[in-house]
Amino acid sequence: EDKVVQSPLSLVVHEGDTVTLNCSYEVTNFRSLLWYKQEKKAPTFLFMLTSSGIEKKSGRLSSILDKKELFSILNITATQTGDSAVYLCAVEAGNQFYFGTGTSLTVIP
Amino acid sequence: DAMVIQNPRYQVTQFGKPVTLSCSQTLNHNVMYWYQQKSSQAPKLLFHYYDKDFNNEADTPDNFQSRRPNTSFCFLDIRSPGLGDAAMYLCATSPWPGQAQHFGDGTRLSIL
């Protein structure tokens, strides 16, 4: 059965800390891995990764994919209270998307 | 701004009373998706349309149906809602299959 597993389930850090969120997957016909940030409403898109070893960056956020070991990490440096959210990892296999249950990040001042 | 709009934001219905949730998009995307998200769980894909080609997930209950009358609109019909159908329903679009999805704000459905 296909699955996407995220860790940790939840994380509490202080402002300014750096965090690393993990996503491992086990799917057939892998096509891409996506990261989303979900606050109170719908997920908003962060990154889409298709190739191993190529880091994607957006401000303080960065992500990389390892297709050999079947995982991705999302890094957030110099965290801010506005980074508090659930971070979802989704894997596209064929034309279907499989979501992990998310990592809940809380950044305290 | 181009966007994905879901109506209503909150919907309350009675047990067994049919309900329809709507989604519209101004992005002109070919693919539209419906997800169900229960509290503290990941979004679960119910259906997706690639243009007019309808794709039903294997474990989507028969109680759920969908319509896409044109490119811009997609509807989720729940024929006889049960208490277990209370959830957030998310609509998303993407230009083509396999590309990043843009989500609406969701409709939170409550069942009395």
Side-chain angles (χ1 to χ4, degrees), chain B:
Chain B
D1 286 344
M3 50 200 303
V4 181
I5 301 165
Q6 290 187 243
N7 284 304
R9 291 288 310 281
Y10 300 92
Q11 175 75 57
V12 180
T13 193
Q14 291 179 323
F15 183 94
K17 185 173 181 182
V19 65
T20 295
L21 311 182
S22 72
C23 177
S24 64
Q25 55 133 340
T26 59
L27 298 161
N28 205 30
H29 284 173
N30 290 294
V31 192
M32 295 187 78
Y33 308 81
W34 278 106
Y35 289 90
Q36 179 193 64
Q37 186 176 27
K38 296 188 177 181
S39 181
S40 302
Q41 295 182 21
K44 176 180 178 297
L45 184 63
L46 297 173
F47 315 98
H48 74 276
Y49 277 93
Y50 176 22
D51 196 14
K52 293 184 179 179
D53 183 25
F54 175 69
N55 297 273
N56 188 22
E57 296 306 297
D59 56 353
T60 298
D62 292 339
N63 198 23
F64 290 80
Q65 295 179 330
S66 183
R67 297 170 281 136
R68 189 180 184 187
N70 54 54
T71 301
S72 301
F73 286 88
C74 197
F75 299 98
L76 173 63
D77 301 308
I78 309 176
R79 287 191 294 181
S80 181
L83 297 178
D85 298 327
M88 174 74 86
Y89 289 86
L90 295 166
C91 174
T93 71
S94 65
W96 302 100
Q99 294 191 299
Q101 297 177 27
H102 300 254
F103 285 83
D105 287 340
T107 293
R108 183 165 295 283
L109 178 66
S110 300
I111 314 294
L112 298 181

Side-chain angles (χ1 to χ4, degrees), chain A residues 5-10 86-89 99-104, chain B residues 40-42:
Chain A
V5 178
Q6 292 186 246
S7 63
L9 289 182
S10 65
V86 174
Y87 290 83
L88 290 168
C89 171
F99 281 84
T101 52
T103 293
S104 176
Chain B
S40 302
Q41 295 182 21

Side-chain angles (χ1 to χ4, degrees), chain A residues 53-72:
Chain A
I54 298 174
E55 186 183 52
K56 294 217 171 177
K57 290 197 69 155
S58 176
R60 296 176 293 103
L61 277 66
S62 63
S63 184
I64 198 162
L65 173 67
D66 186 328
K67 289 168 75 175
K68 183 179 176 186
E69 300 297 329
L70 308 183
F71 77 92
S72 174

